[in-house]
Amino acid sequence: MVLQAIKYKRGELQILDQLKLPHAEVYDEVKTSTDAWHAIKDMRTRGAPAIAIVAALGLAVEIENIAAKNELSSIAEEVEVFVKEKLDYLVTSRPTAVNLADASRKLQKVVQTASAAEGSSGSSVKDAYLRAAEQMLVDDVSDNEAIGRHGAEWILKHASQSGQVSILTHCNTGSLATAGYGTALGVIRSVHGQGALKRAYCTETRPYNQGSRLTAFELVHDKIPATLITDSMAAALLRLRGPVDNIAAIVVGADRVAANGDTANKVGTYSLAILAKQHGVKFLVAAPRTTIDLETKSGADITIEERAGKEMTMIKGPRYNGSTLDLTQVETVSIAANGIDVWNPAFDVTPAELIDGVVTEMGVVEKGSDGVFHFESIFEAGKLGVKPSTVEGL
Ligand code: MRU
């Protein structure tokens, strides 16, 4: 059974509550943009592409339900303004992942174009918005499958030893972080699908444990051979098991790739990139073009979200009685000294110099002979077989 974090049909959206995983699979209804904002802020849904899609679809459900009650304005401009205001609000939920801001910009353009069209009405603006938001859900899965194929091909081509390869990943970039299949985890799925994966290693991903709770859950769910390590074990892993297990690459996702290739991703990514360099292991960022932000020149311009200290000092899970888990007794326990000051940045920035390639749905972008990433070409329709955006109105 395919793991589905986002269940959508017109007028209805459900998200798998990721704070309850891996021990309980509970879906939450998202009926409005306010519900979507809170689901994103609380991290019941998370991962750069999933955040953007849940925001877009949460608003789609809200508008559809307003229309179903015959309460949608018949005036195109009024619906346009309503949608734009809601999108501006949704963007404030989490600042680092650019996919949300990118989706908002594209959807604002869609409603603007629809509103300016000859004979437009409130209903035609609503329909244009719904079609564009729904297309984002479809596009994300096909983009991820393409990312998986390109990344797998690149890794197998660049592996220094022949035979099956192992891959280390960080955080969660799979079906739970996207509309389906995943980015970095999609690359691992694709290598596995070709029978070329020896083992996936996933980090625990402190402080919020997206690796041990979510990636490990997906790997077990899909029966992919995998081993969990704590973040602090990565160096020892590369030294002691790297050559034996043929660890050919570290593949991570991204929340924002700046124009120069500097990449914001889950905190701990930067350390892994340094380790990859030290151990001669390839370091790849896997992300759709919606994560590449040509407006942001370098990592220094990326806003890094800081989250509550209790995400580091407390941990939540079902009670363990020494032999079994009692799933009905979920408890939060303190794992740090009371009163300690806490710094909890959710992301860090890996400098472009440490990144060997950015795997997109268009292919793997490597640095040019000038040592610099050039992303412009993957956005130009017609070049490199680039498909134009399928989002209506663009
Ligand atoms: O704080 P999170 O869990 O939303 O952080 C997620 C990540 O950092 C992912 O690596 C990134 O969003 C890419 S998900 C395909």
Side-chain angles (χ1 to χ4, degrees):
M1 211 183 65
V2 176
L3 191 60
Q4 221 186 341
I6 302 171
K7 289 185 182 173
Y8 173 81
K9 67 176 190 223
R10 205 164 263 203
E12 267 179 56
L13 174 64
Q14 292 187 328
I15 54 152
L16 186 55
D17 181 348
Q18 301 193 23
L19 296 181
K20 298 207 169 77
L21 287 174
H23 302 297
E25 292 179 44
V26 176
Y27 283 86
D28 281 356
E29 290 254 6
V30 176
K31 292 184 175 162
T32 61
S33 46
T34 310
D35 289 350
W37 190 95
H38 284 285
I40 295 166
K41 185 79 180 170
D42 303 346
M43 291 177 68
R44 278 177 284 130
T45 192
R46 34 130 322 267
I51 289 172
I53 291 163
V54 168
L57 292 179
L59 178 53
V61 168
E62 180 170 356
I63 309 174
E64 176 64 16
N65 290 334
I66 292 173
K69 287 188 264 170
N70 279 327
E71 287 171 7
L72 189 76
S73 166
S74 58
I75 301 163
E77 290 79 10
E78 282 187 11
V79 176
E80 177 192 348
V81 169
F82 175 82
V83 169
K84 285 181 169 175
E85 282 177 4
K86 294 289 182 187
L87 288 169
D88 285 341
Y89 157 71
L90 283 159
V91 168
T92 64
S93 55
R94 289 189 80 189
T96 305
V98 73
N99 306 57
L100 176 53
D102 179 72
S104 164
R105 187 182 51 77
K106 287 175 177 158
L107 291 167
Q108 300 222 13
K109 198 163 168 216
V110 165
V111 289
Q112 193 167 321
T113 308
S115 169
E118 185 76 27
S120 65
S121 64
S123 167
S124 69
V125 174
K126 176 205 84 147
D127 288 345
Y129 177 83
L130 259 60
R131 279 197 300 273
E134 288 166 358
Q135 191 62 44
M136 286 179 171
L137 183 68
V138 176
D139 285 351
D140 191 54
V141 179
S142 57
D143 286 349
N144 291 339
E145 287 168 352
I147 287 170
R149 282 194 302 278
H150 293 307
E153 189 188 333
W154 193 95
I155 290 170
L156 296 174
K157 191 169 117 197
H158 288 83
S160 55
Q161 290 180 41
S162 58
Q164 288 184 315
V165 297
S166 295
I167 298 173
L168 170 63
T169 192
H170 187 54
C171 196
N172 174 264
T173 59
S175 298
L176 297 169
T178 62
Y181 199 75
T183 57
L185 200 52
V187 173
I188 291 174
R189 274 191 226 287
S190 178
V191 174
H192 177 63
Q194 296 174 36
L197 184 75
K198 185 166 190 188
R199 180 155 295 276
Y201 284 98
C202 64
T203 59
E204 181 186 30
T205 317
R206 285 285 293 147
Y208 221 42
N209 294 27
Q210 288 92 330
S212 55
R213 290 190 296 112
L214 308 176
T215 302
F217 176 76
E218 290 201 39
L219 290 164
V220 171
H221 181 276
D222 287 6
K223 300 188 174 57
I224 296 174
T227 301
L228 174 67
I229 60 166
T230 69
D231 302 10
S232 54
M233 292 170 189
L237 176 83
L238 294 185
R239 180 178 287 274
L240 300 175
R241 291 177 82 165
V244 185
D245 271 357
N246 195 12
I247 300 179
I250 298 178
V251 188
V252 297
D255 284 81
R256 191 182 296 243
V257 180
N260 72 345
D262 290 353
T263 295
N265 190 49
K266 181 51 56 194
V267 69
T269 301
Y270 177 29
S271 315
L272 291 174
I274 294 169
L275 294 180
K277 173 113 337 203
Q278 170 73 14
H279 292 273
V281 168
K282 299 289 183 205
F283 189 86
L284 291 179
V285 169
R289 286 177 297 168
T290 49
T291 309
I292 300 172
D293 179 13
L294 299 181
E295 308 278 295
T296 297
K297 283 204 178 62
S298 76
D301 305 313
I302 301 176
T303 304
I304 300 294
E305 176 187 11
E306 291 193 15
R307 294 193 58 92
K310 68 177 186 323
E311 290 183 1
M312 195 187 302
T313 59
M314 305 281 177
I315 204 146
K316 196 164 100 177
R319 181 194 284 233
Y320 179 61
N321 67 9
S323 61
T324 51
L325 292 176
D326 180 354
L327 300 182
T328 62
Q329 297 289 316
V330 176
E331 292 176 356
T332 300
V333 295
S334 164
I335 53 165
N338 243 351
I340 187 69
D341 182 36
V342 169
W343 177 57
N344 183 15
F347 304 98
D348 61 23
V349 175
T350 300
E353 63 191 87
L354 296 176
I355 299 169
D356 292 303
V358 179
V359 188
T360 73
E361 65 275 29
M362 306 314 309
V364 181
V365 182
E366 294 179 55
K367 286 169 209 151
S369 50
D370 53 0
V372 174
F373 282 112
H374 298 282
F375 295 112
E376 295 79 6
S377 60
I378 58 168
F379 288 94
E380 289 166 23
K383 270 199 176 180
L384 298 170
V386 172
K387 64 167 188 189
S389 169
T390 48
V391 174
E392 195 185 325
L394 294 180

